[in-house]
Amino acid sequence: VLTPRLARSSIYAMTSHEGALAKVQPAVEAVSPLSVEDYEAIKRCLPGVRNILLCQLLRTTGLRVSEVLALTPTHLREEGPRFYILVQRGKKRGGDREYERVYLHPTLGTFLQNYCRGNQVGGADRIFSISRRMVEYIFEKAGRAAIGRRVHPHEFRHLYTRTLIDGGLPVEAAAKMLGHEDPATTLKWYYELTNDKRAAIQERIPL
């Protein structure tokens, strides 16, 4: 007879067994970081102007998805030939977060401006009226079609970081571009010195 006490002990045994099984599961193989070629391939697989613009913004600014989705036309500013957006960094400490200027490539700024006008996005309307979950789904689908694996939109922030540092920008400056208060965060989570990079560095050293 299955008494309440025996039932509870049986459930505990099963959950303990499942927990033990979970602990011995093999680790998921790490995926290769996105390359510029991957980015171009993913962009070609994205349907619609909105999704391409979203991808370009993530890749060329290093902004978080939440920061991009919070943008409204009032955040897009034009200053002579330059465009910039006003962004409240998602993980800045403190109650009142100040707006920070993030400059855009002039062509991207023009595209974004024309997109807002053409789609009658104005005032306090969000430029990208889409949920974060839908953004993740779109990029997962495009990633599988383009490079054979799911892609998370946050990977473009990592690609942006590598572009800055590999291009010779000091880590301290790269951290400011990313909105990090501590450059150690940039190095710990966003940059990896791969074997290919180590080899390339060594090859530049003269004999």
Side-chain angles (χ1 to χ4, degrees):
V1 179
L2 185 63
T3 64
R5 182 175 180 179
L6 183 58
R8 286 195 298 270
S9 63
S10 299
I11 293 171
Y12 175 78
M14 285 189 293
T15 54
S16 298
H17 178 62
E18 289 169 359
L21 285 177
K23 290 179 181 178
V24 299
Q25 289 294 324
V28 178
E29 184 179 353
V31 297
S32 300
L34 284 184
S35 65
V36 175
E37 292 75 21
D38 292 337
Y39 160 70
E40 293 294 342
I42 292 166
K43 195 167 57 172
R44 288 192 295 269
C45 289
L46 287 170
V49 174
R50 180 200 64 189
N51 298 330
I52 294 173
L53 267 176
L54 184 59
C55 184
Q56 289 175 321
L57 265 176
L58 292 170
R59 190 271 179 273
T60 61
T61 64
L63 292 175
R64 301 176 179 90
V65 176
S66 59
E67 294 165 348
V68 172
L69 294 183
L71 293 174
T72 70
T74 57
H75 295 132
L76 177 62
R77 305 293 175 89
E78 191 173 1
E79 188 180 65
R82 294 176 174 172
F83 285 90
Y84 65 89
I85 48 180
L86 295 174
V87 175
Q88 280 186 311
R89 293 291 186 177
K91 293 191 176 180
K92 284 282 188 180
R93 297 171 183 169
D96 296 327
R97 293 176 295 158
E98 295 183 358
Y99 280 97
E100 179 180 320
R101 287 190 182 194
V102 175
Y103 285 90
L104 305 176
H105 188 285
T107 302
L108 180 57
T110 302
F111 284 164
L112 195 58
Q113 188 178 69
N114 291 340
Y115 175 82
C116 292
R117 291 172 178 170
N119 290 276
Q120 298 181 337
V121 182
D125 296 335
R126 290 192 301 141
I127 295 176
F128 301 103
S129 184
I130 184 174
S131 69
R132 180 172 185 148
R133 180 171 295 183
M134 183 56 68
V135 172
E136 292 174 355
Y137 170 76
I138 289 170
F139 280 101
E140 177 180 349
K141 189 175 180 180
R144 293 191 188 281
I147 61 174
R149 70 167 178 86
R150 63 173 297 182
V151 169
H152 193 281
H154 199 73
E155 291 185 63
F156 295 108
R157 183 169 167 85
H158 289 255
L159 176 58
Y160 175 76
T161 307
R162 293 195 303 275
T163 302
L164 295 181
I165 297 177
D166 289 344
L169 191 69
V171 174
E172 292 78 8
K176 289 183 180 295
M177 296 290 284
L178 289 161
H180 289 160
E181 295 180 350
D182 186 355
T185 303
T186 308
L187 285 177
K188 180 177 180 181
W189 299 109
Y190 290 88
Y191 190 79
E192 180 183 0
L193 191 59
T194 63
N195 289 335
D196 287 341
K197 290 174 183 174
R198 291 175 186 272
I201 292 170
Q202 288 300 120
E203 289 166 3
R204 290 199 297 267
I205 299 175
L207 291 174

